[in-house]
Amino acid sequence: MNKNVRTLAIVTILCFVTLFVQLTRLHLIQREELQGNPYNTRSIVQEFSEERGVIETTDGFIIAESQEVQNELEYQRHYPYEDLYAHISGYFSFLYGSDGLERSYNNYLSATDTETPLRIATTLNHSIQQKAREALGERNGSVVVLDPRTGEILALWSYPSYDPNPISSANLDTVRDTWEELSKIPTLNDPRLARTYREIYFPGSTFKIVTAAAALLSGKATLTEPEFENRSEYVPPLTEVPLQNYGGGTCGGNLLEGLRVSCNTTFAELAAELVGAETMITTAGLFGFNQELPIDLPLPVLSVFPPDFGEAIGETTAFSVPIVENTPGLAQSGIGQFDVKATPLQMALVAAAVANDGVIMEPYVVKSVKTQAGELVRENQPAVWKSALPTGIARSLKMAMIHVAENGTATRMQINGAEIGGKTGTAQVDANRPDDTHGWVIGFAGPPDGEPTVAIAVIVESVPGQGQFTGGSDAAPIAQLVLQETLRVQGHLE
């Protein structure tokens, strides 16, 4: 009898030990895994039962806040300006997770590491953001505005956009219905897509700034030498297919003139015969192509420049540059076509590099995180991302871009009382649809006697069947309006 009791006692103790070990393992080892399990909604319900922090612009406009509701979830996120900041704030949804700052700054907004939710102040300016939306109108495209001296993003707008309020609603039927309706829209027109930094496009002739930089870095060209032939088309080595100027026009001359009129034949020859594949690839990398942007928004996409144009075939050009197997593709790349693709943010940073003496600052959207009482928890400081160009070369390109805005294809960017630099682009979308083009412009602005205080990129996207959009006619006037408002906000214009 005693033996049976002892056996039962031992078994009972072992069961308790096993249970204790299992509970410890679940609590200490598998806690995060279980909390992240999609079938475990307890932690998600808890998140929606607590107030989240506020997100606001640098001038004090609230763009995301918590709203108390009579619902099991207790709170839902409210976005007062609906679509205006959707691609920046993102959404906070019970069914579909989070995006934008709601995602990348979740620990601060949800008070995961603090006793109370915190207040996030962005670098965005409300009036500049509004002007970007107004100037672009209901045309698919993007506007990126930043301070080249710091990397602070002042406006980030793309159309179409969406209202994040229904996706963040405490009414789950509303959430589900809204998401399903948005998901029916073809991907290229999905309003949830933040085109400013999550979509890439042929940059067209705006990329000629990078090609010009490569030519200057090679030491084989200056703004005034050499002189290129005046012609309407150029046939690269290893092909019989000519590359033409926009509209069949004739142009040539030196690098300065090539930028002024955006001469395709000049820049295709520069890339293929004077600069060469290796220097083009290296220079694109100096500007940030093929590298992830260090922005504090989630999931930025890479801007791409072809990393390889094949082996050298054993011949050289008149400028002693090796001819490679895909020299025709290299020529196309020099004018921002072939396999070159860039986000609007990346092209704004190209302009910023020129404006800021060759230095690219890390772009960022959040300026500071503070407690509700105003105590500073975190402050994002300007940081160098790339030393893209020597100061002298950057200043040469700056002078060239000012020349383009004063006397070339970007004159519609001009603003009285300001110094403007620009470069337009008309990017062909498909060789089989020559009338479908993106209209681009990149540039910078500042007071006449000072350094540039703002850089910009604008793209008006191609719409099949609606004809060509050009940088000079379609994108430059948008940039002019946004730059004017930015300079006014900065105190440089009345």
Side-chain angles (χ1 to χ4, degrees):
M1 183 71 176
N2 290 337
K3 182 179 180 181
N4 290 338
V5 171
R6 285 198 301 273
T7 301
L8 179 62
I10 292 170
V11 170
T12 302
I13 292 170
L14 288 174
C15 287
F16 274 108
V17 169
T18 302
L19 179 62
F20 177 77
V21 170
Q22 178 67 1
L23 288 173
T24 302
R25 185 175 66 85
L26 289 173
H27 180 72
L28 297 179
I29 300 175
Q30 289 187 296
R31 181 181 179 184
E32 291 187 5
E33 178 184 339
L34 291 169
Q35 286 180 336
N37 191 304
Y39 296 103
N40 175 23
T41 62
R42 181 180 299 176
S43 62
I44 302 175
V45 171
Q46 180 65 29
E47 283 189 281
F48 283 81
S49 300
E50 298 174 349
E51 186 176 8
R52 285 170 70 80
V54 164
I55 305 174
E56 61 188 356
T57 65
T58 192
D59 45 345
F61 289 82
I62 293 175
I63 64 175
E65 61 187 345
S66 284
Q67 187 177 65
E68 197 167 1
V69 291
Q70 300 301 313
N71 187 291
E72 179 187 359
L73 300 183
E74 297 187 35
Y75 286 96
Q76 67 183 16
R77 289 299 266 174
H78 177 235
Y79 305 93
Y81 296 97
E82 299 178 346
D83 67 335
L84 184 60
Y85 294 99
H87 294 136
I88 307 161
S89 68
Y91 51 79
F92 185 68
S93 171
F94 184 84
L95 294 180
Y96 300 107
S98 59
D99 198 10
L101 293 178
E102 295 279 22
R103 177 173 176 172
S104 56
Y105 281 80
N106 179 63
N107 285 353
Y108 293 107
L109 292 168
S110 65
T112 299
D113 300 324
T114 57
E115 293 182 359
T116 58
L118 301 174
R119 196 175 192 94
I120 290 179
T122 69
T123 60
L124 303 162
N125 179 275
H126 188 63
S127 66
I128 301 173
Q129 183 79 1
Q130 285 185 311
K131 182 61 68 174
R133 177 173 65 177
E134 175 190 325
L136 184 61
E138 295 184 359
R139 291 173 284 188
N140 285 17
S142 295
V143 180
V144 177
V145 187
L146 55 85
D147 188 328
R149 302 165 298 178
T150 62
E152 293 183 358
I153 293 178
L154 309 178
L156 203 65
W157 167 253
S158 60
Y159 182 88
S161 186
Y162 71 101
D163 182 355
N165 285 297
I167 298 175
S168 304
S169 173
N171 184 324
L172 301 188
D173 288 335
T174 298
V175 175
R176 190 178 294 105
D177 291 345
T178 302
W179 191 269
E180 289 177 356
E181 284 301 310
L182 289 171
S183 298
K184 293 177 184 177
I185 300 171
T187 301
L188 290 177
N189 291 313
D190 190 338
R192 292 167 295 185
L193 176 63
R195 297 161 182 263
T196 49
Y197 73 101
R198 285 184 179 169
E199 184 61 290
I200 53 176
Y201 309 86
F202 295 115
S205 293
T206 58
F207 190 79
K208 288 172 182 171
I209 295 300
V210 179
T211 304
L216 297 176
L217 285 169
S218 74
K220 298 177 181 178
T222 67
L223 289 181
T224 55
E225 292 181 346
E227 293 277 332
F228 292 89
E229 179 184 344
N230 277 285
R231 53 193 164 183
S232 61
E233 60 183 35
Y234 163 69
V235 181
L238 307 184
T239 185
E240 296 180 357
V241 179
L243 186 153
Q244 298 181 326
N245 289 314
Y246 177 74
T250 299
C251 56
N254 56 32
L255 188 58
L256 187 63
E257 177 64 10
L259 284 170
R260 186 184 76 82
V261 301
S262 199
C263 187
N264 287 346
T265 55
T266 293
F267 281 89
E269 184 177 356
L270 269 175
E273 300 194 39
L274 184 143
V275 176
E278 184 177 346
T279 302
M280 284 296 298
I281 293 168
T282 299
T283 304
L286 290 174
F287 280 94
F289 281 78
N290 302 324
Q291 298 159 59
E292 185 174 337
L293 283 171
I295 189 172
D296 53 350
L297 287 170
L299 307 176
V301 299
L302 295 180
S303 295
V304 295
F305 186 84
D308 185 16
F309 291 93
E311 298 293 329
I313 66 169
E315 300 177 20
T316 60
T317 69
F319 296 98
S320 301
V321 169
I323 297 175
V324 293
E325 294 170 330
N326 196 4
T327 294
L330 178 58
Q332 288 277 353
S333 297
I335 61 171
Q337 297 284 169
F338 187 53
D339 289 337
V340 182
K341 294 284 189 74
T343 64
L345 176 55
Q346 173 63 68
M347 295 314 297
L349 292 173
V350 169
V354 175
N356 195 40
D357 285 344
V359 176
I360 304 177
M361 306 300 288
E362 290 186 1
Y364 62 101
V365 172
V366 169
K367 191 174 186 69
S368 65
V369 180
K370 294 182 179 180
T371 66
Q372 297 300 322
E375 297 175 353
L376 186 65
V377 174
R378 168 177 171 175
E379 185 173 29
N380 289 336
Q381 296 290 341
V384 173
W385 180 40
K386 294 280 183 184
S387 295
L389 299 170
T391 301
I393 288 178
R395 290 182 178 177
S396 291
L397 290 172
K398 177 183 173 184
M399 182 182 70
M401 291 180 70
I402 291 171
H403 186 55
V404 172
E406 290 178 346
N407 306 293
T409 59
T411 55
R412 296 185 71 178
M413 291 177 69
Q414 279 294 300
I415 299 169
N416 290 333
E419 186 170 72
I420 309 295
K423 181 68 195 79
T424 58
T426 301
Q428 192 176 66
V429 175
D430 189 321
N432 297 318
R433 304 200 319 266
D435 288 335
D436 290 338
T437 57
H438 301 315
W440 276 93
V441 75
I442 63 173
F444 53 80
D449 299 323
E451 294 301 312
T453 58
V454 55
I456 193 168
V458 175
I459 179 175
V460 180
E461 294 178 31
S462 162
V463 177
Q466 291 194 13
Q468 293 187 334
F469 293 135
T470 69
S473 297
D474 296 286
I478 296 170
Q480 191 260 2
L481 291 171
V482 177
L483 288 174
Q484 188 171 41
E485 179 63 16
T486 305
L487 292 172
R488 186 195 67 77
V489 168
Q490 292 179 333
H492 302 307
L493 292 176
E494 295 184 1

